[in-house]
Amino acid sequence: MSFTYTLWFAFFGLLIGHLPGAITGGILGFVFDNLRHSQRKQATPEAGGFVGPLFALLGAVAKSDGRVSEAEIAVAERMMARMGLDAAQRQQAIASFNAGKQPEFDVTPTIDELRRWAGLRRDHAFPVLDVVIDTVLAEGNPPPEKMAILRQLAFALRVSDMELMALMAMKGYAWNTGGTRGRQGYGGGGYVPPRRNTQGPDPYVVLGIERGADDRTVKRAYRKLISEHHPDRLGDLPEAMRRQAEARASEINAAYERIKAERGFK
């Protein structure tokens, strides 16, 4: 537990009220430090608590267009192996995936479970989205049903469409929202499916900025993204998700280097 507030409050108390002020300030600071520690502890996801809802959602995404393909099953199996699930966890993942495939399955409670699990940790939200995106893109350009679930999940995890576009770009897909999003899906301009970008990821989309952004905006966007996606912040998540975070960080660094080379700044 950090004692930052305790020290600062004691210091200012000493300046204002000498020793009694330091004691009073230290007590107040300790209360704040303890509260902050409790909030951080509550915000830390429980190890393994995402397995059931995550694989249930993968099953629902796979079945949302009417059929579950071998490619989608392969994504789930690959993720089980990469996560190093033990026998009990693997059975839980398979049962959850099969439950998600059922016609009457409602994704909203499952998405709520993932939102509660991630809490306020956006650095834990992105690995979850990563896995779901792999299933969404398993067969190539996805239908609107799959994208609707993905966007519902992103919205629940407080990830914007621009950030979701960046995640898609890192996987080699160009995507535009194509209209406003309603509560259940799409409206306005209608559905525009993501399409594979044969020229590689657009570095500006990866950083979530416009091509005309000034250099300061580019640097600020890069620093923000790399801090959110850095694998060192993932705590006790499985190694598979850590590797995905490393891949995202590499894409962000590569995009930034391309823009730097193009613009000629350091």
Side-chain angles (χ1 to χ4, degrees), residues 242-260:
R242 187 176 296 279
R243 286 197 296 269
Q244 286 188 290
E246 290 172 352
R248 283 197 310 276
S250 295
E251 286 288 352
I252 293 166
N253 283 321
Y256 185 56
E257 291 299 324
R258 284 180 61 187
I259 295 175
K260 283 170 57 179

Side-chain angles (χ1 to χ4, degrees), residues 150-246:
L150 176 61
R151 294 180 85 183
Q152 184 179 347
L153 173 65
F155 183 76
L157 296 178
R158 302 181 182 181
V159 173
S160 69
D161 274 342
M162 182 67 74
E163 291 168 318
L164 191 54
M165 288 169 65
L167 289 173
M168 303 286 279
M170 292 179 202
K171 295 178 181 293
Y173 277 77
W175 176 56
N176 191 301
T177 57
T180 59
R181 174 174 60 184
R183 184 179 179 89
Q184 299 298 327
Y186 301 84
Y191 175 65
V192 179
R195 298 192 179 279
R196 183 168 290 282
N197 188 345
T198 57
Q199 298 179 345
D202 183 327
Y204 290 91
V205 176
V206 170
L207 295 190
I209 55 177
E210 299 291 337
R211 189 165 288 271
D214 59 29
D215 292 352
R216 179 177 295 181
T217 300
V218 172
K219 294 176 182 179
R220 186 167 57 245
Y222 166 73
R223 287 193 294 266
K224 178 177 181 294
L225 275 179
I226 204 67
S227 68
E228 290 182 336
H229 291 267
H230 202 284
D232 288 347
R233 299 188 58 183
L234 295 182
D236 57 359
L237 283 187
E239 186 61 28
M241 287 189 166
R242 187 176 296 279
R243 286 197 296 269
Q244 286 188 290
E246 290 172 352

